Amino acid sequence: MKIAVVGTGYVGLVTGTCFAEVGIDVTCIDVNVKKIEDLRQGILPIYEPGLEEMVLRNVSKERLQFSTDLATAIKGCDAAFIAVGTPPGEDGSADLKYVLGVAREIGQHMDGYLVVVTKSTVPVGTANKVKQAVTEELQKRQSALQFDVASNPEFLKEGAAIEDFLKPDRIVIGVESEKAEEVMQRLYKPFLLNGHPIIFMDVPSAEMTKYAANSMLATKISFMNDIANLCEIMGADVNMVRRGIGSDTRIGNKFIYPGIGYGGSCFPKDVKALIKTASENGYQMQILQAVESVNENQKEVLFSKVKKHFKGELAGKTFALWGLSFKPKTDDMREAPSLVIIEKLLAEGAKVKAYDPVAIKEAQHMLGEKENVSYAKDEYEALIDADALLIVTEWPEFRSPNFSVIGKLLKNKVIIDGRNIYDAKEMQTLGFCYYGIGVQEVQPLTEMTN
């Protein structure tokens, strides 16, 4: 089979590469000439474990190509995947101009029956707009070519996208004809050999499934953060509460870890878009409005703990930040809590020394040149002469550090842990003043200062 994937961002690049990995002839297309030239040289625009090696392997096997020429790439294809961005507008709605622009271009250049697949996360009803855009272009050509539109939402976790695509929990596909279903069934057959389920449904239901899934996960996160904040007030330990409720199979133990709020390219955007879609149709998503509100407030919790500990006197102090990306195993900093924390510290006249295993370059791009922000070559360098350590992203290498070295490098043995990766009693025994999320702060058993 032969397919085109339009868009070489996170979703498009992973999708195209994984299809190539199972032997499908794939051309990934983008309007960004520099990005395509880089990809041809093996330089990827994103960090994702295992992706670079897979791209290089499939390019060498000539199963994966990169191009700026959609007109040529789409010829003879069985399916064309639209995987371009749908950035949120100021009102929270998804901007479909890139999706519909690609649809029009497909209508201008397709040369045979084609399944046009929306892989981008799009609101319910988008498939109809895509169909109309393609149809209008075919009419301009006076062409009778047939096509179908399908919805195939992605469920990729950043940091585990390759595994998620090759071994999916489920494959959701919305189709409007038996012919489109047959094409999509053949396309995904290599991924079904180990029993991974494929679920065919109508197109609107498939479009809704993506938003519902992300919104449910965001809801679990905000719910636990709300519970964590109450635990601190009431003297309970959210870690114990989490274990207690997570053992209930109706609830489960995933996405119930308290922290400093969700970020990334999906949850914030999709929650906003679903709220907006409901509003446009005369319905109010009361739970999701609360989810969004809790999340925005939670991003300020770590800063509030810093301010409380230092009695509001942050000017001239230096804070070490471990972690910048919104989650481990990615360099994605979109809507990252670290951005809120850094801006609030700087506004108080503090300095920031940050370290992240992969996201420093992206942080420099997003934050720009800021006088009081510096970046360390490793986690320990960030601690030198810092007044406290802030854990922002739970990278595995931060889980078992040398606490003796930490205590010697910090001016004050203060750790403010936004991800609850350390045990409060152990920190107390080691002489640290420790703050977590949803747990009671502990004072050191030994002197706090070195």
Side-chain angles (χ1 to χ4, degrees):
M1 297 184 76
K2 179 182 178 182
I3 66 171
V5 179
V6 187
T8 57
Y10 188 86
V11 174
L13 188 56
V14 171
T15 296
T17 304
C18 288
F19 273 129
E21 181 74 3
V22 297
I24 293 168
D25 183 4
V26 180
T27 301
C28 288
I29 302 144
D30 204 290
V31 295
N32 188 323
V33 175
K34 175 73 163 56
K35 185 188 285 191
I36 292 299
E37 289 176 350
D38 285 346
L39 283 166
R40 287 170 175 168
Q41 297 175 35
I43 302 171
L44 274 61
I46 58 171
Y47 173 82
E48 177 64 33
L51 183 59
E52 181 179 350
E53 296 87 343
M54 190 177 286
V55 168
L56 293 174
R57 179 168 61 250
N58 283 284
V59 168
S60 69
K61 296 288 187 180
E62 298 184 349
R63 293 191 295 255
L64 178 62
Q65 302 176 63
F66 298 101
S67 175
T68 59
D69 184 3
L70 184 148
T72 301
I74 204 171
K75 295 188 184 305
C77 282
D78 298 283
F81 286 76
I82 302 177
V84 294
T86 54
E90 291 185 5
D91 61 355
S93 61
D95 188 344
L96 298 177
K97 65 182 177 184
Y98 302 114
V99 170
L100 298 180
V102 172
R104 283 189 286 270
E105 196 169 354
I106 288 172
Q108 292 163 10
H109 300 292
M110 57 185 287
D111 65 347
Y113 174 78
L114 188 70
V115 180
V116 180
V117 186
T118 54
K119 195 69 174 173
S120 304
T121 300
V122 294
V124 177
T126 299
N128 289 334
K129 295 178 181 179
V130 169
K131 187 173 185 178
Q132 182 180 355
V134 175
T135 299
E136 287 174 355
E137 295 302 324
L138 288 173
Q139 289 173 345
K140 289 177 185 178
R141 295 168 54 188
Q142 297 184 331
S143 171
L145 289 174
Q146 299 298 304
F147 73 97
D148 281 303
V149 175
S151 173
N152 177 211
E154 54 86 15
F155 300 99
L156 306 176
K157 298 186 295 291
E158 293 191 42
I162 300 297
E163 184 78 1
D164 285 345
F165 200 102
L166 296 179
K167 300 177 181 178
D169 292 331
R170 77 293 201 195
I171 300 164
V172 173
I173 303 175
V175 293
E176 57 185 6
S177 75
E178 291 183 2
K179 189 172 184 180
E181 180 173 337
E182 189 273 331
V183 170
M184 298 302 289
Q185 182 83 41
R186 282 195 297 125
L187 191 59
Y188 274 104
K189 184 178 180 180
F191 305 97
L192 306 177
L193 299 179
N194 293 322
H196 304 297
I198 185 168
I199 305 170
F200 283 101
M201 58 183 70
D202 62 273
V203 173
S205 296
E207 292 173 330
M208 180 62 81
T209 297
K210 169 63 175 179
Y211 279 106
N214 278 354
S215 295
M216 172 58 81
L217 296 176
T219 299
K220 293 184 75 173
I221 293 170
S222 281
F223 174 80
M224 282 309 298
N225 283 335
D226 231 8
I227 292 294
N229 295 337
L230 184 58
C231 282
E232 287 189 29
I233 295 170
M234 303 301 296
D237 185 334
V238 75
N239 292 317
M240 298 296 101
V241 174
R242 174 179 55 78
R243 290 174 60 186
I245 67 172
S247 59
D248 187 329
T249 56
R250 296 169 301 174
I251 297 172
N253 58 14
K254 294 182 179 179
F255 283 83
I256 60 169
Y257 288 81
I260 51 177
Y262 58 77
S265 62
C266 293
F267 288 5
K269 176 173 67 68
D270 293 352
V271 168
K272 284 181 173 64
L274 192 51
I275 291 172
K276 180 63 177 176
T277 296
S279 176
E280 291 173 342
N281 287 274
Y283 188 77
Q284 187 178 8
M285 302 292 286
Q286 297 179 59
I287 290 177
L288 288 188
Q289 288 173 349
V291 166
E292 187 176 41
S293 176
V294 168
N295 192 62
E296 290 307 304
N297 292 334
Q298 199 69 17
K299 291 182 180 181
E300 300 184 10
V301 165
L302 206 66
F303 170 76
S304 297
K305 292 178 183 293
V306 173
K307 199 165 185 178
K308 177 184 175 183
H309 177 84
F310 289 97
K311 297 178 172 58
E313 298 176 1
L314 304 184
K317 289 183 170 58
T318 300
F319 295 95
L321 262 66
W322 280 7
L324 290 164
S325 56
F326 87 94
K327 63 178 285 188
K329 298 184 181 180
T330 180
D331 62 349
D332 195 343
M333 287 191 58
R334 286 172 287 185
E335 303 280 350
S338 63
L339 297 173
V340 175
I341 295 165
I342 290 171
E343 291 294 349
K344 286 193 164 291
L345 289 172
L346 295 181
E348 294 286 334
K351 297 179 180 179
V352 172
K353 293 175 67 177
Y355 171 73
D356 188 285
V358 301
I360 288 177
K361 184 177 179 181
E362 184 63 18
Q364 291 171 325
H365 170 71
M366 294 196 72
L367 289 168
E369 294 295 328
K370 290 189 179 291
E371 183 179 353
N372 290 327
V373 178
S374 60
Y375 303 93
K377 68 174 185 282
D378 60 45
E379 60 266 46
Y380 295 108
E381 183 183 74
L383 302 173
I384 298 173
D385 293 328
D387 290 275
L389 167 61
L390 279 55
I391 307 295
V392 179
T393 311
E394 65 276 30
W395 283 90
E397 60 205 75
F398 299 158
R399 293 181 181 273
S400 297
N402 188 322
F403 289 107
S404 176
V405 172
I406 293 175
K408 291 175 182 177
L409 291 176
L410 287 172
K411 283 183 182 179
N412 308 291
K413 295 179 73 172
V414 179
I415 296 178
I416 304 175
D417 183 357
R419 300 298 182 180
N420 286 1
I421 61 176
Y422 303 138
D423 179 77
K425 290 183 179 179
E426 181 185 4
M427 293 299 98
Q428 186 177 42
T429 302
L430 292 172
F432 286 92
C433 180
Y434 177 81
Y435 299 82
I437 304 296
V439 298
Q440 301 305 297
E441 65 184 77
V442 296
Q443 299 297 321
L445 296 179
T446 58
E447 284 296 315
M448 187 177 78
T449 56
N450 293 314

